[in-house]
Amino acid sequence: MIKHYKIFWFFFILVFIFDQIVKILTLKGMRYQSEYLDLTFALNTGVAFSMLSFLEHYLKYLHLGILLILFAYLFWQKEFLKEHIVAFGLMLGAGCSNLLDRFIHGGVVDMFFWHKGFEFAIFNVADVMINLSVALILIKEFFLKRGKNDRMD
């Protein structure tokens, strides 16, 4: 299991540092505009699509509580963590990076704005990694495991 924890912490730290670097560059004024995607700056004081922003500074404690519960659950459910070690490393590294933003900046630093064909919410690297990790878990749980179970029947 030690090997799995190393993999977890590798992806956790990789995502955390990469996300924070992009956010630092954004805060220092890095901007870009194109036909499809702009690199801009927005401080999201809520969660997705600014929901729950009415909670103001209390939201960071809710965010912290959810992350602590998820950490505790995963390290208690070692087999589930082991099956999805990369996905949870990505997810929790990204979640902790966004949490750090809440404590330091009063909200989450967002920078990517998709606007070709439709205007999408402004998001960041951590948001992409969280969605990627959920997709990895769902693919493995519903498609790869189902395929194994179908062959065993």
Side-chain angles (χ1 to χ4, degrees), residues 104-121:
I104 293 176
H105 307 294
V108 175
V109 176
D110 288 332
M111 72 285 302
F112 299 114
F113 176 53
W114 180 271
H115 53 78
K116 182 67 175 185
F118 61 93
E119 288 190 3
F120 193 71

Side-chain angles (χ1 to χ4, degrees), residues 8 10-23 67 70 84-98 108-112 120 122-139:
F8 171 87
F10 172 78
F11 283 99
F12 180 100
I13 291 167
L14 182 72
V15 167
F16 185 92
I17 290 173
F18 181 61
D19 184 55
Q20 286 297 308
I21 288 170
V22 173
K23 289 173 178 176
L67 282 174
L70 185 56
H84 304 288
I85 199 77
V86 171
F88 283 119
L90 296 172
M91 180 187 293
L92 289 168
C96 287
S97 181
N98 279 345
V108 175
V109 176
D110 288 332
M111 72 285 302
F112 299 114
F120 193 71
I122 298 177
F123 57 97
N124 60 38
V125 172
D127 298 334
V128 173
M129 292 297 109
I130 291 168
N131 285 293
L132 176 64
S133 66
V134 170
L136 289 172
I137 293 167
L138 292 175
I139 288 167

Side-chain angles (χ1 to χ4, degrees), residues 1-44:
M1 193 66 181
I2 298 293
K3 176 185 159 201
H4 289 93
Y5 286 138
K6 286 181 182 179
I7 294 168
F8 171 87
W9 288 113
F10 172 78
F11 283 99
F12 180 100
I13 291 167
L14 182 72
V15 167
F16 185 92
I17 290 173
F18 181 61
D19 184 55
Q20 286 297 308
I21 288 170
V22 173
K23 289 173 178 176
I24 289 166
L25 292 172
T26 300
L27 289 168
K28 289 187 179 268
M30 182 175 68
R31 302 290 184 269
Y32 173 78
Q33 290 184 329
S34 73
E35 183 180 348
Y36 295 91
L37 182 73
D38 290 352
L39 182 60
T40 187
F41 168 73
L43 188 66
N44 185 353

Side-chain angles (χ1 to χ4, degrees), residues 38-92:
D38 290 352
L39 182 60
T40 187
F41 168 73
L43 188 66
N44 185 353
T45 57
V47 292
F49 306 103
S50 296
M51 292 185 298
L52 303 179
S53 58
F54 66 90
L55 291 174
E56 297 173 350
H57 68 278
Y58 296 108
L59 185 56
K60 64 186 165 196
Y61 299 110
L62 177 62
H63 188 153
L64 175 62
I66 291 169
L67 282 174
L68 289 174
I69 290 168
L70 185 56
F71 264 108
Y73 176 76
L74 289 174
F75 286 97
W76 177 58
Q77 292 290 326
K78 289 179 180 29
E79 278 306 308
F80 190 64
L81 173 62
K82 185 176 165 183
E83 289 177 23
H84 304 288
I85 199 77
V86 171
F88 283 119
L90 296 172
M91 180 187 293
L92 289 168

